Amino acid sequence: MATFLYRLGRFSFRKRHFVALFWVALLALAGAGAAGAPAAGNSSFSIPGTEAQKAFDLLDERFPGTSADGATARVVFKAPDGQKMTDPGNKAAVQETVEELSGGSEVVQVSDPYQGGGVSRDGSIAYASVTYEVSGMELEESSREALKAAAEDARASGLTVEIGGDALQAVPETGSAEIIGIGVAAVVLVITLGSLLAAGLPLLTAIVGVGIGVASITALASTLDLGSTTSILASMIGLAVGIDYALFVVSRYRAELAEGRTREEAAGRAVGTAGSAVVFAGLTVVIALVGLSVVNIPMLTKMGIAAAGTVAVAVLIALTLIPALLGYAGRRVRPAGEKSKLLGGGRAKDKAERPNMGTRWASFVVRRPLAVLLLGVVGLGAAAVPAGSLELGLPDDGSQPTSTTQRRAYDLLSEGFGPGFNGPLVVVVDAEGSDDPQAVFKQAGDEIKALDNVVNVAPAAPNKAGDTATIAVIPDAKPSSVATEDLVHDIRAAGADIKDGTGADVLVTGATAMNIDVSQKLNDALVPYLVLVVGLAFLLLIVVFRSILVPLKAALGFLLSVLAALGAVVAVYQWGWLSGLMGVEETGPIMSMMPIFMVGVVFGLAMDYEVFLVTRIREAHVHGEKPAQAVVTGFRYSARVVTAAAIIMIAVFSGFIGSSDSMVKMIGFGLATAVLFDAFVVRMAIVPAVLALLGEKAWWLPKWLDRALPNVDVEGESLAGLDRAADKDDEDKELVRV
């Protein structure tokens, strides 16, 4: 592989006009596709195999035209102090709003609060439910504007009016913090590479890669039903790895220049060595992201594949566009150790060079490996303690910022009708095979009324055929509470008894039940996902490092860092520690998708640092150095770059904490924390400590396995033959001259 990538690097350097034109054309093509595509909305949410999804499908079949999966809105009215919603003036304003909303082109029906029990007991709050014929993703912007306009007209009469539901779900915004993250990355690159031009290359290529990836996602969003969150997460991961991969290639290029190689040769060798590490590091990230498909949640699968595609683009750009741009830069990218005049280059050195920080740190670790190992493991273990209290759920309007109309509507409904009113359960009774469906409907309603944590059970509403009915159930607790989850399980247990006696199916659905089912499905999938992803990456790392213990150590270190990161997420978003600093307005359960998505992404990124750092150590060992000295040598050449890459990735991920979307905000924080723990505690401390303790045993591999494995030559050992061939040519030329 090293030889192939070496030739690719030299080709890209020589044919830089062609390579640059190719990537620019690809970016333009993707941009044109995105410009002409419909805007991405909120991806439709289906969970195959869950009871809630089966009930939704049954509703579509037995209640045609009711748009069971259509967007909904609740327009909530509150009377001024001292007045009631039943006062003639307020009632007239509400009915006028209902009439105005009923004329919408996509509206199926609008409930009248005064006819459907939509007024609170004290008369201060009322609500009207609006049902649309299409999902929130497909809802026309004109329908959203009409909804807002109707609310504004009602406010003119003196009422407080807020809107809840998924009809107003907006495309998430990441805020200015993302720009700050890129700014921090730029500063780190300048310090690391000692040149403004050299620092600009990774940023430029990362932006090109993310531009191609996000534009492609936008172009395909409508066709493939990709939500707006998909492109944000793809840009988050693509930007971070794109900068890192380019940084490693540029750094190796400067190191090769410092050894006296020509610029074309240095480009080839940089791609042949650092590029090999980029390929395998990128492959681990892609495996982790594509592996999310095993969960069988379409939205999560699409997010993973889209992000994996962006990572693949970042790898290809690092291997081709970076050497091409290095060809354009020429002498303005200096050898390692030299700085541009703008940054202080060219000045006389006052004293002899000291060993760099990476050398000093690695020397300290190999002298006291056991103490460093214990300190790192105990520290991460302490950080992971909150993860034992992890509670999973999916966000609702109650997790929105208090500045949003959705959150204010949620709070008004809780005030007027109780916290459970925001998460009603829909019980679907399928009595198609029953002799007396009406008796079954009544039995189901009576048994549900007898359960704990139930505030209200509406009468059964059968379909035209009379064989299926829906029963609305209002829980006593808020949607994300444990009590509501217990109630869902209790209803399902009662439904199982009804089926045994009558043969009728009793299914629980609704947004709250769907969230509970999603959480359970994700929990059940976590272990198989870990086995699949860690297993595949473990096999891949055996091929890369030709060792059993090094990949095993890499996997165990990853588990430590991801548990510690989950502990930090629980402490901030569930317990409320530092919530003000992180902009967390409402604590609660951790998003169901967070653990499995973070496991996938963090595993891929953790293996990035493992590959980049340990390949340098193995390279030194392969070239004859003793294990302890190889650790020091590896850190001398790679610690600075790995540190810079980690800081850049932390800065990029931290930028997404300012997002308006709670999922993006939480994932940004979790990934930034995980990279912090993994790069600086696991890879920089625990890894060298373990390698120092293991010595030669770290590189042990059974002989039969060594013979069976392909030689991928990540260290670039085959490139050493090019040096010998070049030396031989020089000797032959000298003999000819003599």
Side-chain angles (χ1 to χ4, degrees):
M1 173 177 283
T3 304
F4 169 76
L5 293 177
Y6 164 80
R7 291 171 180 161
L8 179 63
R10 293 194 63 170
F11 171 83
S12 300
F13 187 94
R14 286 196 309 272
K15 305 293 184 180
R16 46 187 171 272
H17 301 312
F18 169 78
V19 173
L21 182 62
F22 170 80
W23 285 109
V24 169
L26 193 59
L27 178 61
L29 184 64
N42 295 291
S43 179
S44 57
F45 197 74
S46 64
I47 314 296
T50 61
E51 179 173 318
Q53 187 63 48
K54 291 176 183 175
F56 266 126
D57 296 340
L58 185 64
L59 285 173
D60 282 337
E61 177 188 339
R62 304 287 175 84
F63 293 81
T66 57
S67 301
D69 60 347
T72 59
R74 276 179 171 176
V75 183
V76 188
F77 308 88
K78 184 175 183 180
D81 292 340
Q83 299 182 26
K84 292 185 179 296
M85 290 304 305
T86 51
D87 293 345
N90 294 335
K91 185 174 182 179
V94 171
Q95 290 178 328
E96 185 177 335
T97 303
V98 169
E99 185 177 349
E100 182 179 349
L101 289 170
S102 299
S105 60
E106 296 179 301
V107 174
V108 175
Q109 65 176 6
V110 182
S111 67
D112 187 328
Y114 303 100
Q115 296 179 5
V119 181
S120 63
R121 288 184 180 180
D122 63 4
S124 64
I125 296 173
Y127 75 93
S129 292
V130 186
T131 305
Y132 293 89
E133 62 186 16
V134 295
S135 66
M137 186 192 74
E138 300 166 320
L139 198 63
E140 294 287 342
E141 189 60 32
S142 59
S143 295
R144 292 192 177 94
E145 292 301 323
L147 181 60
K148 294 176 185 177
E152 197 60 42
D153 291 342
R155 290 189 186 104
S157 67
L159 296 173
T160 298
V161 185
E162 305 295 348
I163 306 171
D166 61 355
L168 283 188
Q169 285 184 348
V171 175
E173 298 176 356
T174 54
S176 59
E178 181 184 355
I179 305 300
I180 296 173
I182 295 175
V184 172
V187 172
V188 173
L189 286 169
V190 171
I191 294 173
T192 304
L193 299 176
S195 164
L196 292 175
L197 180 64
L201 294 181
L203 280 176
L204 175 62
T205 54
I207 291 171
V208 170
V210 169
I212 292 171
V214 172
S216 300
I217 291 169
T218 304
L220 298 172
S222 179
T223 305
L224 301 181
D225 190 21
L226 303 176
S228 54
T229 304
T230 303
S231 60
I232 292 178
L233 294 175
S235 66
M236 178 196 301
I237 297 168
L239 190 61
V241 301
I243 294 174
D244 278 8
Y245 293 165
L247 170 62
F248 283 108
V249 175
V250 173
S251 298
R252 189 60 184 252
Y253 171 77
R254 296 178 70 233
E256 296 293 339
L257 287 179
E259 294 184 8
R261 305 193 192 281
T262 64
R263 295 188 177 274
E264 182 179 331
E265 181 70 10
R269 288 177 178 274
V271 176
T273 52
S276 297
V278 165
V279 169
F280 283 98
L283 194 54
T284 59
V285 180
V286 169
I287 288 173
L289 291 171
V290 173
L292 291 169
S293 58
V294 303
V295 183
N296 196 27
I297 294 180
M299 185 178 76
L300 193 60
T301 299
K302 293 170 186 176
M303 285 167 52
I305 293 175
T310 307
V311 171
V313 171
V315 170
L316 293 174
I317 282 179
L319 300 178
T320 57
L321 186 57
I322 280 291
L325 294 180
L326 289 171
Y328 284 118
R331 296 182 179 277
R332 285 168 290 183
V333 175
R334 299 169 180 268
E338 293 186 19
K339 296 182 179 179
S340 64
K341 292 182 179 179
L342 182 63
L343 298 175
R347 298 176 187 172
K349 296 181 180 179
D350 297 331
K351 56 184 178 180
E353 283 192 37
R354 296 173 54 200
N356 63 22
M357 181 64 75
T359 302
R360 297 199 299 273
W361 170 249
S363 299
F364 169 78
V365 173
V366 297
R367 287 197 305 269
R368 297 174 178 82
L370 188 59
V372 172
L373 176 62
L374 290 176
L375 185 62
V377 171
V378 170
L380 290 178
V385 168
S389 302
L390 178 67
E391 296 177 8
L392 297 178
L394 284 176
D396 54 22
D397 285 346
S399 62
Q400 296 264 17
T402 53
S403 58
T404 63
T405 186
Q406 293 98 322
R407 172 60 185 276
R408 291 195 292 263
Y410 181 97
D411 292 340
L412 285 176
L413 289 172
S414 295
E415 177 188 338
F417 300 91
F421 196 78
N422 282 294
L425 304 175
V426 179
V427 179
V428 183
V429 183
D430 178 9
E432 186 178 36
S434 174
D435 295 333
D436 189 355
Q438 290 296 327
V440 174
F441 301 155
K442 185 177 185 307
Q443 179 186 353
D446 291 342
E447 293 200 18
I448 293 170
K449 286 179 184 177
L451 297 175
D452 295 333
N453 300 318
V454 174
V455 171
N456 183 54
V457 178
N463 62 350
K464 289 182 180 180
D467 57 4
T468 307
T470 60
I471 302 173
V473 180
I474 305 299
D476 184 41
K478 64 180 182 178
S480 59
S481 68
V482 176
T484 301
E485 183 177 348
D486 291 340
L487 175 59
V488 170
H489 294 315
D490 291 343
I491 294 174
R492 287 173 173 169
D497 294 337
I498 293 173
K499 182 171 184 177
D500 290 341
T502 65
D505 282 325
V506 179
L507 308 173
V508 185
T509 189
T512 301
M514 182 70 81
N515 290 351
I516 291 169
D517 286 353
V518 170
S519 298
Q520 185 60 51
K521 186 164 188 174
L522 288 166
N523 281 339
D524 294 343
L526 186 57
V527 172
Y529 174 71
L530 270 174
V531 171
L532 172 68
V533 172
V534 176
L536 287 175
F538 180 77
L539 295 176
L540 182 65
L541 292 179
I542 289 178
V543 174
V544 173
F545 296 129
R546 308 196 78 78
S547 163
I548 297 293
L549 296 180
V550 170
L552 181 61
K553 172 239 348 151
L556 293 177
F558 151 73
L559 291 175
L560 273 175
S561 58
V562 79
L563 286 174
L566 278 176
V569 170
V570 169
V572 173
Y573 290 90
Q574 187 175 309
W575 292 359
W577 295 4
L578 302 176
S579 57
L581 181 63
M582 295 298 167
V584 181
E585 296 188 21
E586 185 75 19
T587 60
I590 303 304
M591 190 171 310
S592 304
M593 293 186 186
M594 178 68 187
I596 198 162
F597 189 82
M598 194 168 81
V599 163
V601 175
V602 173
F603 182 78
L605 300 180
M607 295 307 103
D608 276 4
Y609 298 121
E610 181 76 13
V611 170
F612 289 131
L613 191 62
V614 179
T615 48
R616 261 301 200 176
I617 295 173
R618 175 168 170 76
E619 185 177 339
H621 182 64
V622 166
H623 292 162
E625 293 187 9
K626 293 186 179 299
Q629 183 57 41
V631 170
V632 176
T633 300
F635 268 70
R636 179 167 71 247
Y637 289 115
S638 60
R640 177 184 176 91
V641 180
V642 170
T643 300
I647 293 173
I648 289 168
M649 201 168 279
I650 292 169
V652 172
F653 288 150
S654 296
F656 289 85
I657 297 175
S659 172
S660 62
D661 186 277
S662 57
M663 178 176 178
V664 175
K665 180 192 292 283
M666 194 180 294
I667 288 177
F669 173 79
L671 293 181
T673 306
V675 170
L676 176 68
F677 288 149
D678 194 84
F680 293 107
V681 180
V682 175
R683 308 304 153 189
M684 289 291 184
I686 293 177
V687 165
V690 171
L691 290 176
L693 288 170
L694 291 175
E696 289 287 351
K697 295 177 184 176
W699 309 108
W700 172 79
L701 185 70
K703 291 183 179 180
W704 63 269
L705 185 56
D706 187 37
R707 290 191 297 269
L709 292 177
N711 184 12
V712 295
D713 189 23
V714 177
E715 299 82 15
E717 180 66 15
S718 61
L719 300 183
L722 298 175
D723 283 336
R724 291 190 290 271
D727 293 341
K728 181 73 166 54
D729 288 343
D730 290 342
E731 290 176 5
D732 292 342
K733 290 176 183 177
E734 185 65 25
L735 287 173
V736 169
R737 283 197 294 270
V738 172

